[in-house]
């Protein structure tokens, strides 16, 4: 049996530069959307609204979010890159599709929570991201175990974020 992390001889995925471009474009687009909705000093209305929310005691300080997300996104970037380098096929394409969906949902969640201020919808979206993120890890494990491993912290954070979103929703809806 072939090691799932080793591409079949004679078949390759995207070249290194092409995989890097795809990862940079996908994560860059997600980051731009997230940045557009950030509760930071450049968005005073969003910042004011976020700081006025009644949040549970286990809410991390703002700086923690700024420290955690780049690490999670680097992990997703490494995982996506590794998957894109594998030859196309049903398992690889499924894993890449879930990787794309999850990176898109990151930016989409910030739009729902921060810009639309839709607390119930953002909680539902966060829970959907847990399911999709777990699906990504499972699908990636069939193709490249290190790629899957880089998604585990993302799913763990999503579980925490969903709990946090639910508690915020319950206190403010």
């Amino acid at each position: 049996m072939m090691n799932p992390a080793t591409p079949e001889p004679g078949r390759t995925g995207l070249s290194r530069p092409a995989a890097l471009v795809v990862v940079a474009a996908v994560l860059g687009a997600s980051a731009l959307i997230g940045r557009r909705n950030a509760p930071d000093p450049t968005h005073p209305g969003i910042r004011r609204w976020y700081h006025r929310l009644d949040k549970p005691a286990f809410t991390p300080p703002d700086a923690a979010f700024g420290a955690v997300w780049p690490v999670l996104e680097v992990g997703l970037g490494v995982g996506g890159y590794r998957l894109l380098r594998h030859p196309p096929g049903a398992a690889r394409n499924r894993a890449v599709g879930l990787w794309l969906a999850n990176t898109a949902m990151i930016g989409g969640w910030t739009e729902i929570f921060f810009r639309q201020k839709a607390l119930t919808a953002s909680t539902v979206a966060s829970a959907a991201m847990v399911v999709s993120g777990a699906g990504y890890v499972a699908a990636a494990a069939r193709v490249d175990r290190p790629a899957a491993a880089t998604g585990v912290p993302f799913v763990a954070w999503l579980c925490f974020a969903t709990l946090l979103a639910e508690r915020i929703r319950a206190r403010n809806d």
Side-chain angles (χ1 to χ4, degrees), residues 26-27 29-31 33-34 37 69 73 76 97-113 121-122 124-136 154 158:
V26 168
L27 291 179
S30 181
I33 293 168
N37 300 313
W69 273 107
E73 289 177 346
L76 286 172
L98 286 164
W99 174 76
L100 288 167
N102 279 279
T103 54
M105 286 193 284
I106 294 167
W109 185 88
T110 66
E111 180 73 24
I112 295 167
F113 184 86
S122 70
V124 170
S126 188
M129 289 174 70
V130 170
V131 173
S132 181
Y136 160 69
F154 174 67
L158 291 175

Side-chain angles (χ1 to χ4, degrees), residues 49 105-130 161-162 165-166 168-170 172-173:
W49 171 80
M105 286 193 284
I106 294 167
W109 185 88
T110 66
E111 180 73 24
I112 295 167
F113 184 86
F114 291 113
R115 183 132 334 241
Q116 296 176 12
K117 301 173 177 76
L119 299 179
T120 299
S122 70
T123 300
V124 170
S126 188
M129 289 174 70
V130 170
T162 300
E166 171 50 27
I168 292 171
R169 184 212 56 78
N172 294 279
D173 252 4

